[in-house]
Amino acid sequence: MKLVDHSLSQIDLPLKLQILNISVNLSRLSQWVYEGYDKRSELINKFMKQTENYLADLDRQKISRDFKPTLERLKTEFPYLKKTLNSQDKRFWAEKALTWANILTHRAKIA
């Protein structure tokens, strides 16, 4: 059995767990950015990259027709989140990330 470094990939985990892990990452990022990420910028960058990798892992998964629109919209909006991470309006950024965390938590069951 090949071991996977879960800090980089989670392809070996069940799909619902993969989605929930992305949700948890977005929730953490939301909190850290809202609180003032200057002190945690290295950690935030690490979690952004990890989340990006986790999203890429989903490209190799069989996604349900019901969940596919949610995933496609997240994949469209995540680059924007990444690009605007250092924006002035940290509350807006944090709210967007937390909204996605909540959406993924509730929709993971239909993946």
Side-chain angles (χ1 to χ4, degrees), residues 6-7 10 17-18 20-37 40-41 43-48 50-51 54 78 81 85 90 93-102 104-105:
H6 288 131
S7 68
Q10 56 177 6
L17 185 56
Q18 291 180 47
L20 291 173
N21 284 341
I22 293 168
S23 173
V24 169
N25 276 8
L26 289 171
S27 181
R28 287 177 178 149
L29 287 162
S30 173
Q31 181 179 357
W32 294 335
V33 167
Y34 181 76
E35 289 175 349
Y37 65 95
R40 296 188 172 135
S41 62
L43 186 59
I44 287 173
N45 290 334
K46 179 180 178 178
F47 270 76
M48 286 295 288
Q50 183 182 66
T51 304
Y54 286 1
F78 187 77
L81 282 174
L85 180 61
K90 294 176 188 358
W93 194 99
E95 182 65 30
K96 279 288 231 189
L98 189 58
T99 297
W100 273 110
N102 288 331
L104 292 176
T105 297

Side-chain angles (χ1 to χ4, degrees), residues 31-106:
Q31 181 179 357
W32 294 335
V33 167
Y34 181 76
E35 289 175 349
Y37 65 95
D38 296 337
K39 299 171 191 159
R40 296 188 172 135
S41 62
E42 187 175 318
L43 186 59
I44 287 173
N45 290 334
K46 179 180 178 178
F47 270 76
M48 286 295 288
K49 182 63 179 164
Q50 183 182 66
T51 304
E52 188 173 44
N53 289 343
Y54 286 1
L55 282 170
D57 284 345
L58 296 180
D59 290 338
R60 297 184 270 169
Q61 301 289 333
K62 183 173 171 39
I63 305 295
S64 77
R65 202 169 7 137
D66 292 335
F67 185 72
K68 199 167 246 169
T70 301
L71 180 58
E72 292 307 314
R73 180 125 185 238
L74 174 58
K75 285 184 173 188
T76 299
E77 290 196 28
F78 187 77
Y80 173 78
L81 282 174
K82 188 173 177 183
K83 180 178 153 187
T84 60
L85 180 61
N86 297 314
S87 69
Q88 293 294 332
D89 193 351
K90 294 176 188 358
R91 288 187 295 180
F92 179 75
W93 194 99
E95 182 65 30
K96 279 288 231 189
L98 189 58
T99 297
W100 273 110
N102 288 331
I103 289 169
L104 292 176
T105 297
H106 292 288

